[in-house]
């Protein structure tokens, strides 16, 4: 028949699989989402920077036409200049004059463009007006002012405008990176070039805006300057690239940390779950083991009582023998029950200790007396060695003697014919060491730690034949540790074992 894993282990596997599905799948989805977000992140950073600059550009776009209109034409160095209130020249040397429909200018393209509009000098309103005109295929910003029937005008200087923008923008920096404000003109297709020309110029414009100064934000000026845009251009390193590199780094580090803690969590939970599953199986084993252990003495007791009740034993010597065996079985029973109760007291934290300062020999004598009282069969050879004077310890005598008794009982139980047991005491630095050494079956290396676990019994022929609960060493360890000590083990399979109780020496 095939063996199946016990249901506890099965449910452990199912729980663990569920844990993996519930934790790992969503986290993988989350990471995938993060990767997509990182890919889209450049656009997001651009949006953020654009939003940051939008307000500043809005203000500048309102201020620029107002300031340009407030400037007026003045004649200096033999030509007309557009001059603002602070005396700054805002126009270039490309000037023009218009009288009626007649245009006078040194710039041929400008003359052609002005004439093509069909405007005459009488169309200009009073004061400085601004307008844009496509000159030589490029949008050009012009300013003009009528005086005594003649209109004086000039190209507005891009450098002068950008200098103004820089000045105003200074006080309105919205983010930390250094920037420059620029005036961008729309590239117009050259007139008369037909559909192909138009297409080519549009392609060129698209490329220019893709490669050309990478503006963080743009704002088209209001009519009549709709052919111009104000832009914010970063100086130095591209802040978009910088921000997205930083974000990527942070994401990668966080992701690595996340997976590290996740793996740790999964491994840890798995171990805890597995331990719990194993413990629960051990408890089930323990219940069946204890019931089995209880049944044996109870059956014998019943048999002895029946024998006595039926009056089958007449001889007083025989009656004595039956009564002796009855006592022995009852003792076994109460020891077992006592051990189970002891463990439950320790586990639930109800165990109380009453430590007193006494010579370690008191503990040894109590344990040895109890051990000898067990009327063990076979030729047991127990030697006891305690230094003179015995070192003092501060312990609960009953509890520590119980732990030592357990070591003696184990040494006896797990020895075959050679039942030599040596109990020795020595003081080593700040420790008092009680060592029980036997020449029994020994313990394999891999079991050295586990025999101190509750309910654990080494699985071999001898243990199966010997009564036990797997609780003795677990209880002994808890008791010794509650006294600030340790249990040490040195053993080799087939050669015997040496258990040592290490207790702190009491200073007197
Ligand atoms: P129990 O003796 O009731 O089974 P213990 O907790 O006292 O429980 O011991 C746990 C296991 O450790 C035993 O089942 C036995 O296999 C092993 N063991 C303990 N002491 C010895 C020893 N002196 N020699 C060999 N094996 C031992």
């Amino acid at each position: 028949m095939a063996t199946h894993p016990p249901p506890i282990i099965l449910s452990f596997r199912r729980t663990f699989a569920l844990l993996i599905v519930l934790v790992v799948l969503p986290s993988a989805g989350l990471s995938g989402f993060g990767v997509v977000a990182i890919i889209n992140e450049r656009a997001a950073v651009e949006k953020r920077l654009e939003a940051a600059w939008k307000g500043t550009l809005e203000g500048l776009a309102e201020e620029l036409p107002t300031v340009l209109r407030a400037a007026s034409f003045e004649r200096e160095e033999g030509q007309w200049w557009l001059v603002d209130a602070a005396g700054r020249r805002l126009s270039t040397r490309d000037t023009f004059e218009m009288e009626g429909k007649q245009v006078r200018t040194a710039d041929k393209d400008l003359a052609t463009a002005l004439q093509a509009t069909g405007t005459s000098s009488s169309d200009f309103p009073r004061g400085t007006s601004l307008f844009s005109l496509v000159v030589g295929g490029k949008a050009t910003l012009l300013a003009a002012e009528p005086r005594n029937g003649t209109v004086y005008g000039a190209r507005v200087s891009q450098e002068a405008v950008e200098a103004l923008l820089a000045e105003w923008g200074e006080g309105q920096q919205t983010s930390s990176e250094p920037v420059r404000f620029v005036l961008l003109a729309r590239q117009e297709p050259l007139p008369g070039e037909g559909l192909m020309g138009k297409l080519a110029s549009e392609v060129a414009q698209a490329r220019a805006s893709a490669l050309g100064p990478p503006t963080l934000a743009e704002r088209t000026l209001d009519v009549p300057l709709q052919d111009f845009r104000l832009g914010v251009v970063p100086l130095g390193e591209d802040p978009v690239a910088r921000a997205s590199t930083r974000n990527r780094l942070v994401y990668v580090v966080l992701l690595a940390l996340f997976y590290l803690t996740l793996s740790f969590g999964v491994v840890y939970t798995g171990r805890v779950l597995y331990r719990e599953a194993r413990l629960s199986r051990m408890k089930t084993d323990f219940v069946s083991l204890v019931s089995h252990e209880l049944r044996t003495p109870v059956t014998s007791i019943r048999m002895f009582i029946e024998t006595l009740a039926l009056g089958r034993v007449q001889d007083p010597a025989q009656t004595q023998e039956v009564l002796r065996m009855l006592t022995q079985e009852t003792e076994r029973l109460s020891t077992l029950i006592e051990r189970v109760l002891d463990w439950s007291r320790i586990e639930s934290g109800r165990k109380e200790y009453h430590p007193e300062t006494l010579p370690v020999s008191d503990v040894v004598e109590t344990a040895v007396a109890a051990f000898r009282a067990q009327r063990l069969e076979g030729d047991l050879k127990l030697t006891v060695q305690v230094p003179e004077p015995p070192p003092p310890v501060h312990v609960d005598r009953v509890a520590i003697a119980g732990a030592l008794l357990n070591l003696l009982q184990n040494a006896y139980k797990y020895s075959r014919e050679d039942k030599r047991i040596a109990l020795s005491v020595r003081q080593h630095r700040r420790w008092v060491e009680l060592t029980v050494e036997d020449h029994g079956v020994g313990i394999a290396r891999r079991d050295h730690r586990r025999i101190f676990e509750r309910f654990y019994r080494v699985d071999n022929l001898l243990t199966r034949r010997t009564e036990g609960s797997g609780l003795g060493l677990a209880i002994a360890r808890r008791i010794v540790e509650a006294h600030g000590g340790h249990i040490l083990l040195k053993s080799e399979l087939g050669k015997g074992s040496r258990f040592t109780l290490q207790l702190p020496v009491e200073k007197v």
Side-chain angles (χ1 to χ4, degrees):
M1 208 177 78
T3 54
H4 295 287
I8 290 271
I9 295 293
L10 269 184
S11 90
F12 157 73
R13 281 185 198 154
R14 219 172 297 137
T15 316
F16 196 65
L18 194 73
L19 174 83
I20 297 283
V21 170
L22 289 184
V23 170
V24 172
L25 285 191
S27 74
L30 207 65
S31 317
F33 181 77
V35 169
V36 172
I38 281 283
I39 291 168
N40 292 333
E41 193 235 2
R42 193 181 163 88
V45 174
E46 279 172 355
K47 266 234 149 55
R48 181 171 61 74
L49 288 173
E50 188 183 344
W53 284 109
K54 204 103 209 162
T56 310
L57 285 183
E58 200 65 37
L60 294 181
E62 266 175 35
E63 199 156 350
L64 181 63
T66 318
V67 168
L68 288 179
R69 281 198 190 99
S72 61
F73 275 90
E74 279 169 28
R75 200 167 172 83
E76 290 170 13
E77 297 171 14
Q79 73 153 85
W80 289 93
W81 298 93
L82 184 65
V83 179
D84 73 357
R88 268 175 301 208
R89 290 175 185 171
L90 303 178
S91 57
T92 64
R93 287 184 179 278
D94 300 331
T95 56
F96 68 89
E97 286 174 20
M98 192 185 263
E99 236 181 301
K101 288 203 172 204
Q102 206 188 345
V103 179
R104 280 193 301 273
T105 172
D107 187 333
K108 264 215 187 101
D109 287 337
L110 184 58
T112 320
L114 279 169
Q115 263 154 6
T117 58
T119 30
S120 85
S121 54
S122 55
D123 296 333
F124 284 85
R126 278 168 55 85
T128 307
S129 52
L130 296 170
F131 60 104
S132 85
L133 201 62
V134 178
V135 179
K138 195 168 177 279
T140 310
L141 183 56
L142 298 167
E145 188 185 356
R147 282 197 187 171
N148 309 328
T150 309
V151 171
Y152 301 97
R155 281 183 199 244
V156 175
S157 154
Q158 180 149 355
E159 289 81 45
V161 167
E162 287 179 2
L164 279 180
L165 291 173
E167 208 171 282
W168 301 330
E170 205 111 280
Q172 305 187 33
Q173 296 274 349
T174 48
S175 63
S176 58
E177 56 270 346
V179 294
R180 189 162 62 89
F181 295 97
V182 289
L183 185 69
L184 300 163
R186 190 149 65 93
Q187 206 84 31
E188 273 292 298
L190 290 171
E193 273 193 356
L195 190 64
M196 284 317 285
K198 222 173 174 156
L199 247 171
S201 104
E202 239 155 64
V203 168
Q205 189 166 347
R207 191 178 306 141
S209 64
L211 300 173
T215 53
L216 297 176
E218 284 182 12
R219 159 78 155 83
T220 305
L221 292 179
D222 298 328
V223 183
L225 307 179
Q226 73 275 20
D227 284 339
F228 292 90
R229 291 165 291 139
L230 289 184
V232 184
V233 183
L235 295 171
E237 199 190 345
D238 178 8
V240 177
R242 199 179 55 213
S244 59
T245 311
R246 190 189 52 214
N247 289 359
R248 261 165 226 214
L249 201 75
V250 168
Y251 182 69
V252 166
V253 169
L254 284 182
L255 205 65
L257 262 177
F258 172 66
Y259 273 108
L260 211 73
T261 45
L262 190 73
S263 326
F264 177 76
V266 166
V267 169
Y268 181 76
T269 316
R271 282 183 61 154
V272 169
L273 275 179
Y274 183 72
R275 219 176 288 154
E276 286 303 312
R278 209 182 57 193
L279 182 66
S280 151
R281 199 182 57 193
M282 276 189 197
K283 276 185 179 155
T284 325
D285 290 356
F286 173 71
V287 170
S288 62
L289 191 117
V290 169
S291 329
H292 179 79
E293 294 296 327
L294 288 176
R295 208 168 47 201
T296 324
V298 168
T299 312
S300 329
I301 290 168
R302 214 182 50 213
M303 253 174 45
F304 292 136
I305 291 177
E306 272 172 17
T307 314
L308 289 178
L310 291 176
R312 286 206 192 118
V313 190
Q314 302 295 339
D315 183 3
Q318 267 183 342
T319 313
Q320 275 307 313
E321 177 60 14
V322 170
L323 283 176
R324 193 189 64 79
M325 287 198 282
L326 206 53
T327 319
Q328 196 177 337
E329 290 305 310
T330 335
E331 262 170 19
R332 244 171 77 178
L333 202 59
S334 61
T335 310
L336 186 60
I337 291 170
E338 206 45 58
R339 191 155 286 181
V340 174
L341 287 178
D342 231 13
W343 177 252
S344 99
R345 268 196 293 271
I346 289 178
E347 274 288 81
S348 60
R350 279 183 291 116
K351 175 92 179 165
E352 280 179 19
Y353 297 101
H354 305 284
E356 48 187 328
T357 302
L358 41 84
V360 71
S361 50
D362 281 12
V363 179
V364 173
E365 276 157 23
T366 311
V368 170
F371 183 53
R372 289 204 193 277
Q374 292 185 334
R375 288 176 292 267
L376 306 157
E377 299 116 33
D379 53 2
L380 161 70
K381 283 202 198 81
L382 176 66
T383 57
V384 182
Q385 228 180 16
V386 183
E388 201 51 53
V393 282
H394 186 70
V395 295
D396 180 321
R397 189 170 54 91
V398 180
I400 294 292
L404 187 57
L405 174 63
N406 187 257
L407 295 187
L408 291 169
Q409 284 170 332
N410 279 353
Y412 175 81
K413 279 198 297 189
Y414 304 110
S415 293
R416 292 181 212 275
E417 283 77 40
D418 187 356
K419 293 207 187 288
R420 282 179 294 147
I421 301 174
L423 166 56
S424 60
V425 178
R426 71 164 186 157
Q427 184 173 348
H428 182 61
R429 299 206 181 121
R430 45 191 206 90
W431 300 107
V432 177
E433 295 180 343
L434 299 97
T435 303
V436 175
E437 191 165 5
D438 64 49
H439 299 84
V441 294
I443 300 156
R445 190 69 252 161
R446 63 183 145 84
D447 287 321
H448 278 202
R449 258 163 59 119
R450 300 190 62 188
I451 55 166
F452 293 102
E453 288 174 16
R454 50 207 158 163
F455 312 131
Y456 187 80
R457 304 193 76 204
V458 177
D459 191 17
N460 60 29
L461 252 177
L462 187 60
T463 30
R464 257 176 262 152
R465 274 194 284 114
T466 347
E467 62 192 63
S469 55
L471 276 176
L473 286 178
I475 293 176
R477 189 177 71 165
R478 291 290 195 97
I479 290 174
V480 172
E481 282 176 357
H483 284 81
H486 316 275
I487 294 195
L488 311 175
L489 166 62
K490 233 178 120 171
S491 178
E492 217 177 301
L493 203 57
K495 291 204 176 150
S497 317
R498 209 170 82 183
F499 284 88
T500 302
L501 299 189
Q502 230 182 14
L503 295 168
V505 67
E506 175 70 359
K507 289 182 209 78
V508 278

